[in-house]
Amino acid sequence: MKKKELILDGLSCANCAVKIEEKVKKIEGINDVSINFVTKTLKVNVDDENKLKEIEKIVKEIEPDVKVYDKDIIKNDSQKKNSKADREKRFNKKDEIVRLLYSLTIFIIAILVKEPFGLKLSLFIVSYIISGWKVLYRSFINIKKGLIFDENFLMSIATIGAFSIGQFAEAVGVMIFYEIGELLQNLAVDNSRRSIKSLLEIRPDYANIIDNDRTYKVSPQEVSVGQLILVKPGERIPLDGVVIRGSTMVDTSALTGEPVPKTIKEGDEVLSGFVNLNGSITVKVEKEYSQSTYSKILEIVENASSKKAKTEKIISKFSRYYTPIVVFSAIALAILPPLVFGGPFKQWLYRALVFLVISCPCALVLSIPLGYFAGIGKLSKKGVLVKGGNYLETLKKIDTIIFDKTGTLTEGVFEVTEVKAYNGINSHELLKIAAYAESHSNHPIATSIKKYYDEEIDEKLIQEYQEVVGEGVKAKINGETVLVGNIDLMKENGINIPELEPNGTIVYVGINDSFAGYIKISDKIRPKAKDTINKLKKLGIKKTVLLTGDNEETARKVALELGVDEYYANLLPEDKVALLERYLNNVHTVAFVGDGINDAPVLARTDVGIAMGGLGSDAAIEAADVVIMEDDISKIIDAINISRKTIKIIWQNIIFILAVKILFLILAALGLANMWGAVFADVGVSLLAVFNCMRILK
């Protein structure tokens, strides 16, 4: 299977987008089909690239005006393509406005003309054809293909029906204002798309390659790992790398949401998407364009549409049945009352036509994906990546948050604060033996011991090394058996520990089956951790839980200081999963917050896995459902608040749209609504829903 992304240039019908997705899913040899109406993209996995022609055929059947492009083919010429597309779009909009102005002018003349009737009718017909020929043509083509129940069919039947019963002005006026409404809706959606996409405008346009003391501009895709690039003041850093010359301040807000500039000097890592503010720097490229931080962030946000929220799925399914039900209801309304109650057939036919005008489900199908994408885009601007609408929806419902301690509630930067030796060796010897034993470990505690020792390690003295998961290390150093780890490691190997009450994280050391001493490690609590816990409780989070592999005393102290409801200490990775299962089985909606590197099993199992410190961390981005792009725990508050605001606005739209449509359906059945009111209501709810979605971005 090969992943392909198609650009659907000109896609403006949300209901049509749903139909395209449903039909493409039925093609054999294609899976993971997802259409993003906001970005106008269709993503699929195909076993044969020839299937792309079948996809294009389906798109053309449903939306003849849409142009289909393979993103892989056009990406090298993307700027030229986008510029041409923008010019064509502006030209088409101008044509649409001129066409509708002609139609409206003729319509007004037709209303003013009293006699002769033939001239009046001719003017109405001309105005109707000018304004409605596209709707009629699409309806005719779709009927030939068996695609009956869409907005073009509804408007064609409704307006032709109005002509048939002598409501000429109403038929033409409804068609004109329907098309004006569609134009306004398209303009509003395009404006919304631009607003959302502007949140993600971190795309580097070029890279300045340094070659033999000369620099020249190339596309970032053409730069290889190891090449040198020059980044001048005001330019966006195009690729991830390390500064080898120069220093500057960089704006990281596009990735992290933080407005405070960051100082960068030689040896520091820089990421694509940073903006160089005031000094020229030379960067050695460490990742190719497709693996750069910018590419991964954009991919996550744009792929978020493939993981649809439950609400979105329900509405998509609802829309497939809603229109046929309304059409058959309209037929019943036109036929049954005259037969049962008597009365003129023309009167009930008119009511049925009003039914058809108000029945288009576009407002629902349009506003929901737009709302979710706006929420995800807003969070990305704040440095929080959400991998799908389903996770955004779940964030609103969480009532329990479980935190890993190290690197999440604490900074994860360990420092040795005490070395205590026993049984005849001095503190320096104890530290040296521990550093040698930990020399092959990358654990933060091991790193802190090696850093504190700060002397060269002679690898020849290390004969054996074994890491015991969750407990520590075993090693043979210069012929002596050394154990370095927690109390469980000591007990399992028969080493007696004297009763100690040290405050902090303790690393015990055993040499040749005897207790040799301990090293105390301290880890600072994050500055915003306590405030974040308090705010979470104010937001209605019922339970906060701390998990750690540290000892009971350390866990208790941190939990009390932060105000966490529950804590569990001395945990192995599998113990954390077991505890998580307990909360999940008690019908809690649980979020787990970890560092995304060694918490992958728990992040994968929970309802929403949140990774801290994901800036440039492939492991964090891969493991979690939500990635906080820097070590700021307070971003969890942003994630929950924006999630709640997004879902609230989406449900406001759903309730408002359905209420208006149901109201007009009832009024139409009672003869209290006309086609003018129906078309204004249909267009109005669509525009209001789009504008309501834009409140998410504020």
Side-chain angles (χ1 to χ4, degrees):
M1 285 286 185
K2 187 175 182 181
K3 288 185 178 180
K4 297 297 291 184
E5 182 174 351
L6 302 178
I7 297 170
L8 308 183
D9 192 20
L11 181 67
S12 59
C13 169
N15 198 29
C16 301
V18 173
K19 291 177 183 176
I20 291 169
E21 183 175 277
E22 291 299 319
K23 290 207 76 174
V24 172
K25 282 179 180 177
K26 294 176 182 176
I27 301 176
E28 190 175 346
I30 290 182
N31 58 36
D32 290 339
V33 179
S34 173
I35 196 165
N36 188 330
F37 174 70
V38 181
T39 59
K40 301 183 184 180
T41 54
L42 174 63
K43 296 183 180 181
V44 295
N45 283 349
V46 294
D47 59 1
D48 181 359
E49 289 199 29
N50 289 324
K51 297 279 174 67
L52 298 180
K53 293 179 181 178
E54 291 184 50
I55 295 174
E56 184 173 3
K57 185 179 178 183
I58 287 172
V59 173
K60 291 293 185 182
E61 283 179 355
I62 297 172
E63 278 284 271
D65 295 333
V66 170
K67 296 175 182 178
V68 181
Y69 301 101
D70 185 335
K71 192 173 183 179
D72 291 337
I73 294 174
I74 67 164
K75 68 181 179 182
N76 291 331
D77 196 25
S78 59
Q79 286 184 315
K80 182 179 177 182
K81 162 72 181 59
N82 289 337
S83 175
K84 182 181 177 184
D86 288 341
R87 286 197 304 272
E88 288 178 354
K89 191 180 289 183
R90 287 194 294 269
F91 181 72
N92 289 337
K93 284 175 183 173
K94 183 180 177 181
D95 281 355
E96 285 295 291
I97 292 169
V98 170
R99 178 175 69 89
L100 292 173
L101 283 174
Y102 275 132
S103 179
L104 186 60
T105 302
I106 296 170
F107 173 67
I108 293 170
I109 294 170
I111 291 174
L112 296 175
V113 169
K114 302 299 181 183
E115 297 291 342
F117 174 76
L119 175 61
K120 187 181 186 74
L121 178 60
S122 298
L123 289 171
F124 276 133
I125 291 172
V126 171
S127 177
Y128 179 75
I129 291 172
I130 292 173
S131 63
W133 73 266
K134 285 187 176 182
V135 173
L136 297 171
Y137 174 74
R138 287 174 186 158
S139 178
F140 174 71
I141 295 298
N142 288 344
I143 290 170
K144 283 178 64 178
K145 296 170 182 174
L147 303 170
I148 298 174
F149 299 111
D150 69 355
E151 62 277 10
N152 296 304
F153 171 79
L154 296 174
M155 287 306 301
S156 297
I157 295 298
T159 52
I160 291 171
F163 258 107
S164 70
I165 58 175
Q167 298 288 341
F168 308 125
E170 205 156 339
V172 180
V174 164
M175 182 62 82
I176 291 172
F177 285 106
Y178 170 76
E179 285 288 82
I180 290 173
E182 287 291 293
L183 177 63
L184 291 174
Q185 181 178 291
N186 290 341
L187 290 171
V189 171
D190 283 345
N191 183 56
S192 303
R193 282 173 169 145
R194 286 193 295 272
S195 297
I196 295 169
K197 284 186 173 183
S198 69
L199 300 177
L200 308 173
E201 283 305 318
I202 58 175
R203 184 188 301 274
D205 297 322
Y206 59 87
N208 300 310
I209 281 192
I210 301 175
D211 184 19
N212 294 327
D213 296 327
R214 292 175 54 247
T215 63
Y216 54 94
K217 290 183 180 180
V218 298
S219 167
Q221 289 97 324
E222 298 176 34
V223 182
S224 303
V225 173
Q227 287 189 291
L228 301 182
I229 58 174
L230 176 68
V231 186
K232 302 172 186 177
E235 292 183 336
R236 196 176 293 276
I237 296 174
L239 298 141
D240 295 2
V242 173
V243 177
I244 64 167
R245 188 162 47 251
S247 62
T248 187
M249 301 282 285
V250 292
D251 177 0
T252 69
S253 60
L255 271 64
T256 67
E258 291 300 314
V260 180
K262 181 179 178 181
T263 302
I264 295 292
K265 58 185 184 303
E266 288 183 18
D268 288 343
E269 180 185 20
V270 291
L271 303 177
S272 54
F274 287 177
V275 176
N276 184 11
L277 296 178
N278 54 13
S280 293
I281 53 174
T282 300
V283 176
K284 183 179 180 181
V285 176
E286 293 202 322
K287 289 182 182 178
E288 61 184 26
Y289 180 78
S290 63
Q291 297 300 311
S292 67
T293 302
Y294 152 75
S295 293
K296 290 190 174 182
I297 290 173
L298 209 59
E299 184 180 359
I300 285 173
V301 176
E302 291 186 344
N303 284 344
S305 65
S306 63
K307 296 172 183 174
K308 290 182 169 58
K310 187 177 179 181
T311 306
E312 199 171 351
K313 291 178 181 176
I314 291 171
I315 293 299
S316 294
K317 190 173 183 180
F318 169 77
S319 68
R320 292 202 298 271
Y321 299 103
Y322 166 78
T323 305
I325 288 171
V326 172
V327 170
F328 288 117
S329 298
I331 293 170
L333 184 64
I335 296 173
L336 294 180
L339 295 176
V340 176
F341 305 111
F345 172 73
K346 181 179 177 181
Q347 171 187 313
W348 290 102
L349 176 61
Y350 180 79
R351 295 181 184 183
L353 297 176
V354 177
F355 237 62
L356 295 179
V357 172
I358 196 62
S359 63
C360 177
C362 284
L364 278 175
V365 180
L366 167 70
S367 64
I368 293 172
L370 193 64
Y372 279 110
F373 202 77
I376 290 168
K378 177 68 173 179
L379 276 171
S380 72
K381 185 66 174 176
K382 287 184 171 287
V384 181
L385 301 183
V386 182
K387 291 187 178 180
N390 53 337
Y391 303 121
L392 191 69
E393 189 171 68
T394 306
L395 274 170
K396 172 190 175 292
K397 299 185 289 186
I398 57 175
D399 56 28
T400 301
I401 300 183
I402 299 175
F403 295 91
D404 180 60
K405 181 182 79 70
T406 305
T408 304
L409 293 174
T410 61
E411 293 182 354
V413 180
F414 294 94
E415 293 180 351
V416 174
T417 56
E418 183 183 357
V419 180
K420 181 72 173 177
Y422 286 75
N423 298 327
I425 69 168
N426 62 42
S427 297
H428 184 266
E429 275 298 311
L430 181 73
L431 180 64
K432 178 180 178 180
I433 289 169
Y436 270 71
E438 296 277 23
S439 63
H440 294 167
S441 175
N442 291 320
H443 192 282
I445 289 177
T447 303
S448 69
I449 292 172
K450 289 182 285 186
K451 183 179 178 182
Y452 193 73
Y453 175 59
D454 197 28
E455 292 182 26
E456 189 175 344
I457 291 175
D458 185 355
E459 291 288 338
K460 294 176 184 177
L461 299 180
I462 305 171
Q463 285 94 36
E464 295 178 14
Y465 174 84
Q466 179 189 351
E467 194 155 345
V468 183
V469 178
E471 295 185 359
V473 297
K474 287 182 179 181
K476 183 159 281 189
I477 300 168
N478 202 20
E480 295 184 309
T481 301
V482 178
L483 299 170
V484 179
N486 60 23
I487 196 166
D488 291 333
L489 182 67
M490 301 297 129
K491 287 179 178 178
E492 287 173 10
N493 289 274
I495 296 178
N496 295 320
I497 306 291
E499 286 193 16
L500 303 169
E501 292 186 2
N503 187 15
T505 298
I506 303 301
V507 177
Y508 298 96
V509 181
I511 302 174
N512 295 330
D513 299 329
S514 297
F515 179 63
Y518 68 82
I519 299 171
K520 183 168 30 171
I521 309 289
S522 292
D523 184 13
K524 294 180 182 178
I525 290 174
R526 289 189 183 279
K528 297 181 181 179
K530 186 173 182 178
D531 184 54
T532 299
I533 297 294
N534 291 333
K535 286 180 178 178
L536 286 171
K537 290 179 178 180
K538 289 177 183 177
L539 283 175
I541 301 301
K542 295 177 183 176
K543 190 166 290 187
T544 53
V545 183
L546 180 148
L547 306 184
T548 181
D550 284 346
N551 60 52
E552 177 79 16
E553 176 63 24
T554 301
R556 186 181 67 82
K557 181 187 175 187
V558 173
L560 285 173
E561 186 171 343
L562 295 178
V564 175
D565 298 317
E566 297 177 7
Y567 70 89
Y568 298 89
N570 299 310
L571 298 176
L572 298 174
E574 56 266 31
D575 297 328
K576 293 180 182 180
V577 176
L579 274 166
L580 174 67
E581 293 283 357
R582 185 194 304 173
Y583 286 101
L584 292 171
N585 291 336
N586 287 335
V587 201
H588 290 286
T589 303
V590 182
F592 179 84
V593 188
D595 61 18
I597 298 170
N598 53 13
D599 294 314
V602 199
L603 287 166
R605 178 64 190 90
T606 190
D607 293 313
V608 181
I610 303 175
M612 286 281 295
L615 192 62
S617 169
D618 294 340
I621 291 175
E622 189 66 31
D625 308 314
V626 178
V627 181
I628 295 173
M629 293 301 289
E630 67 169 353
D631 294 337
D632 184 354
I633 196 170
S634 68
K635 298 283 188 182
I636 297 171
I637 306 296
D638 290 331
I640 293 173
N641 281 332
I642 291 173
S643 165
R644 291 179 177 180
K645 182 178 180 180
T646 300
I647 306 307
K648 180 182 177 181
I649 286 174
I650 285 170
W651 275 103
Q652 282 177 354
N653 283 344
I654 292 171
I655 293 167
F656 174 64
I657 292 165
L658 288 178
V660 170
K661 288 186 177 290
I662 291 169
L663 174 64
F664 266 82
L665 290 172
I666 294 169
L667 292 176
L670 297 174
L672 300 175
N674 59 24
M675 293 179 72
W676 290 101
V679 75
F680 279 120
D682 182 52
V683 172
V685 293
S686 296
L687 290 172
L688 288 173
V690 171
F691 293 137
N692 201 26
C693 286
M694 291 304 96
R695 288 175 49 218
I696 297 168
L697 303 179
K698 295 179 179 177

